[in-house]
Amino acid sequence: MTRHTRLIMQMVYWAFVLYLFIPLSLMVLMGFKDSKFIGFPIKSLTLHWYKVVIQDLELMSVFAYSFTIAISSTVLAIIIGTWAAMLLSQAKFKGKIIVFALITLPAVLPGIISAIALRIYSQTLGIEPGMTAVILGHTVHNVPFVTLVGMARLNSQPMSHVEAAQDLGADNVISFFRITLPYLTPALVGAGIFCMLTSFDDFVRSFFLGGYEPTLPVYIFSQLRTGMSPEINAISSVVLVITAVMGLAAERLMRRK
Amino acid sequence: MPPQEEYSTGSRSFWSWLATSKVYQSVSASLLGTKKRRLVLLAAVPIIWAIVANLGPLFKMLDISFYDAYPLSKGREATYTIAAWREFFVTPVYYIPFFRTLIFSGILTFATLVLVYPVAYFLARHVPKSRQMLFLLLVLIPFWVGEIIRTYAIMILLGNNGAINIALKFLGIIDRPIPFMYTSFSLGIGIVYLVSLYMLLPLYSALEKIPTNMNEAAADLGAGPWRRFWRITLPLSKDGIASGCVLVFLIATGFYATPVILGGPSSTMFAESIANTFNVAADRWPTGAAFSSIMLITTLTLAAVFLKIMGRRGKGYL
């Protein structure tokens, strides 16, 4: 390409970066604004809204509730997803492509449809809306991701290690726990962090599957319907920082060679 | 053996103890003895999960969509009817948002492709390999934040006292704020903001794989930069375009909270119509199930047709 088009592309890239960062930066900025009114101009800055958030007991329990759901659904997703990754990358059998498609199906379902289908399904199974339903919903959504990450990592595993272990008398279960699992661990921890973030951030499943107790996004959503407030900015900014730190850590773990 | 050493090899001795224990060996032999048994053990959990947790809900949804009422009151049996499906085709309040969602998502998918292609191209072809990760991370971070928070951020950007209106006023371009919010425009900006990552990653990985010597060869044979782009780069990135567009389209049709927050009465999306059947009287569940089924079948069919046109085959379904 010519120098000219290259320059244009560089500008598009930086414009895109600005498009991504400006709204979030404004949101963080508004969280420090010394007025209940969201918008410009900003006269003075304060930490008041962060104090309000920390002292808000209801909000803290919402945080804890979301966190419990995120941990539980992640643990389940890792177990099932790793199992599926082992099946899809190690075994040879007919119809593998169909099994792969079935296991990764939730990744391509439009959010609202997945949420409604799970809402109906949990009702027919007698699971009332609430924590169990949300955990299962998030697990369904996260398994494909763990499977894909696990498969990618397994593809680079030197088979000689497993063969050596099995020559030394380990059966498949022992060689999995002693050789394959340690090899998978960094990728799985990375995938697990992303699963936690997805669960923590998920709105549509939590909204339709949840009972009266809201997860954090559902709580923010209900607050938003009554109008914007600097408190929401403060909560969102905290979540933003936690998310960025955890995401970067996960990214490092998943790409480690 | 001194106790310390025994402690330090504790985990190893557990596994060797397990491997040599008679009970475990017999269990292992009966469960893992033959190739077939090993496959069954490996396959059972994922396949049962895929059927029960992934397919089950969709089939149940399809089933309920033919009920005359659900949830059923005690002692009442459901009768099968196509009333809920019929309702969709005869009620403009339902099918208008449906077609609006499809068209709107299609337009947004194309807009995202046009916006993100140069970004992906720049990242994959012009940023030195050693710095690609850094440049990629810079655009990845905002996507880790959830749907609700990012939607809220767009609200702050586009509001009547939002950054854009204030900036335009400051520059003297406008006197009165432009009402961006609660329109198709604000919704479009918001959805592109939420989905562009799903376009960026497939495009980036497709573009990154194109060997540079192909372009060099074409240049040696006298092809100009645009010709090289149209004849080499674009066709070779077709797989990335196909996966990116399908992902973005499917995700864009499925948003519920974003249209509720950013959209207005003239941009009601089908997700809202579906959700409304669950908010009011409980006996409208079959309607919601039918609507969801219609949307699922339509979007997946469109995606499959699109992939077929783009000539994807033999690489899994995405």
Side-chain angles (χ1 to χ4, degrees):
Chain A
M1 291 245 150
T2 57
R3 276 177 76 107
H4 200 65
T5 48
R6 188 188 166 143
L7 194 70
I8 291 173
M9 274 191 291
Q10 191 161 7
M11 278 161 60
V12 174
Y13 171 81
W14 289 108
F16 185 65
V17 170
L18 285 180
Y19 172 51
L20 297 181
F21 276 91
I22 286 178
L24 292 172
S25 319
L26 286 173
M27 184 187 76
V28 175
L29 183 65
M30 291 293 170
F32 292 106
K33 191 187 167 188
D34 196 2
S35 149
K36 229 181 159 13
F37 168 73
I38 303 271
F40 289 92
I42 294 172
K43 295 213 171 69
S44 64
L45 300 175
T46 174
L47 280 174
H48 173 72
W49 305 113
Y50 284 86
K51 266 185 221 143
V52 173
V53 164
I54 291 168
Q55 285 162 0
D56 189 339
L57 285 177
E58 190 198 345
L59 192 61
M60 287 301 130
S61 81
V62 169
F63 242 103
Y65 183 65
S66 288
F67 194 67
T68 315
I69 288 173
I71 294 273
S72 322
S73 64
T74 299
V75 169
L76 285 173
I78 291 219
I79 295 171
I80 300 161
T82 310
W83 207 317
M86 285 296 289
L87 172 70
L88 290 167
S89 66
Q90 316 259 291
K92 287 192 182 79
F93 58 95
K94 267 188 202 158
K96 197 164 169 173
I97 189 81
I98 296 169
V99 175
F100 176 76
L102 282 184
I103 284 177
T104 50
L105 179 68
V108 294
L109 284 185
I112 182 79
I113 291 170
S114 159
I116 294 296
L118 286 165
R119 174 74 186 89
I120 293 172
Y121 195 54
S122 61
Q123 182 81 22
T124 61
L125 294 178
I127 304 170
E128 285 298 310
M131 194 154 119
T132 317
V134 179
I135 290 174
L136 290 176
H138 288 180
T139 308
V140 168
H141 187 55
N142 278 336
V143 165
F145 182 66
V146 178
T147 306
L148 291 174
V149 172
M151 283 172 72
R153 178 84 178 165
L154 284 170
N155 280 342
S156 69
Q157 186 192 22
M159 279 316 287
S160 55
H161 294 183
V162 178
E163 283 157 12
Q166 291 183 353
D167 285 346
L168 293 171
D171 65 9
N172 296 62
V173 171
I174 292 180
S175 72
F176 171 76
F177 280 105
R178 293 283 284 143
I179 310 290
T180 311
L181 191 59
Y183 184 77
L184 275 172
T185 300
L188 291 183
V189 173
I193 294 175
F194 273 121
C195 288
M196 281 182 64
L197 289 179
T198 324
S199 163
F200 201 80
D201 286 336
D202 173 75
F203 172 77
V204 73
R205 289 167 196 81
S206 311
F207 183 71
F208 285 101
L209 296 171
Y212 294 107
E213 214 175 338
T215 64
L216 191 64
V218 176
Y219 177 83
I220 296 177
F221 178 77
S222 63
Q223 298 287 90
L224 275 182
R225 303 203 90 172
T226 61
M228 303 196 240
S229 86
E231 255 190 273
I232 305 177
N233 290 63
I235 310 163
S236 305
S237 307
V238 172
V239 175
L240 176 71
V241 172
I242 297 173
T243 306
V245 171
M246 284 178 70
L248 284 171
E251 196 67 38
R252 273 188 83 93
L253 286 164
M254 277 174 20
R255 282 174 203 271
R256 203 161 71 179
K257 290 272 146 59
Chain B
M1 204 185 282
Q4 259 174 324
E5 207 166 290
E6 196 179 276
Y7 184 75
S8 72
T9 55
S11 77
R12 195 172 304 166
S13 51
F14 167 73
W15 291 105
S16 47
W17 166 80
L18 187 69
T20 49
S21 95
K22 282 277 176 304
V23 182
Y24 181 79
Q25 275 175 358
S26 66
V27 172
S28 165
S30 64
L31 283 176
L32 306 164
T34 64
K35 211 168 182 176
K36 201 170 173 189
R37 283 180 194 167
R38 284 199 292 272
L39 183 63
V40 168
L41 189 77
L42 194 57
V45 168
I47 290 179
I48 290 171
W49 173 263
I51 291 170
V52 173
N54 296 353
L55 276 188
L58 298 179
F59 278 111
K60 199 69 214 172
M61 180 173 83
L62 199 60
D63 184 30
I64 299 276
S65 76
F66 292 108
Y67 280 26
D68 61 335
Y70 194 87
L72 297 162
S73 42
K74 267 216 172 81
R76 194 173 163 283
E77 284 280 311
T79 46
Y80 281 90
T81 160
I82 56 158
W85 287 70
R86 216 185 137 262
E87 200 179 345
F88 171 80
F89 293 99
V90 297
T91 323
V93 179
Y94 297 137
Y95 65 71
I96 289 175
F98 174 75
F99 288 112
R100 181 189 290 137
T101 302
L102 294 184
I103 294 166
F104 195 60
S105 303
I107 294 171
L108 289 181
T109 305
F110 184 71
T112 311
L113 175 67
V114 172
L115 170 74
V116 169
Y117 199 96
V119 177
Y121 191 95
F122 174 73
L123 279 170
R125 317 285 290 176
H126 288 315
V127 178
K129 277 269 179 278
S130 55
R131 292 172 67 199
Q132 268 183 13
M133 200 55 224
L134 191 71
F135 275 64
L136 197 58
L137 273 180
L138 195 58
V139 292
L140 276 182
I141 293 169
F143 289 102
W144 297 336
V145 186
E147 176 190 353
I148 295 290
I149 291 180
R150 275 190 289 156
T151 304
Y152 180 50
I154 291 289
M155 252 174 117
I156 295 172
L157 181 76
L158 296 177
N160 281 350
N161 291 295
I164 292 190
N165 271 317
I166 295 297
L168 290 176
K169 226 190 239 175
F170 182 77
L171 294 169
I173 298 170
I174 52 167
D175 298 328
R176 230 174 279 164
I178 303 172
F180 291 120
M181 276 298 291
Y182 315 117
T183 60
S184 304
F185 176 76
S186 55
L187 181 55
I189 296 281
I191 289 181
V192 172
Y193 191 58
L194 289 168
V195 297
S196 32
L197 176 78
Y198 300 101
M199 188 66 87
L200 181 71
L201 292 183
L203 279 181
Y204 169 79
S205 68
L207 285 166
E208 194 209 27
K209 280 191 205 111
I210 301 175
T212 46
N213 56 17
M214 287 217 175
N215 264 307
E216 286 156 12
D220 286 347
L221 294 170
W226 281 108
R227 204 178 152 86
R228 290 205 298 273
F229 176 75
W230 286 110
R231 299 293 298 275
I232 296 175
T233 313
L234 196 63
L236 286 175
S237 61
K238 219 167 69 177
D239 283 357
I241 297 175
S243 325
C245 287
V246 164
L247 273 177
V248 165
F249 180 76
L250 290 175
I251 293 168
T253 53
F255 281 122
Y256 167 66
T258 309
V260 171
I261 297 172
L262 293 178
S266 62
S267 59
T268 309
M269 290 290 130
F270 196 55
E272 294 170 76
S273 316
I274 294 175
N276 285 339
T277 63
F278 285 81
N279 288 342
V280 285
D283 60 353
R284 303 239 306 138
W285 281 37
T287 312
F291 287 7
S292 302
S293 306
I294 290 168
M295 190 171 165
L296 178 67
I297 294 164
T298 319
T299 50
L300 289 186
T301 309
L302 286 174
V305 168
F306 182 72
L307 287 178
K308 190 98 191 161
I309 292 170
M310 295 295 278
R312 293 286 322 259
R313 51 187 180 265
K315 284 177 197 158
Y317 69 117
L318 264 187

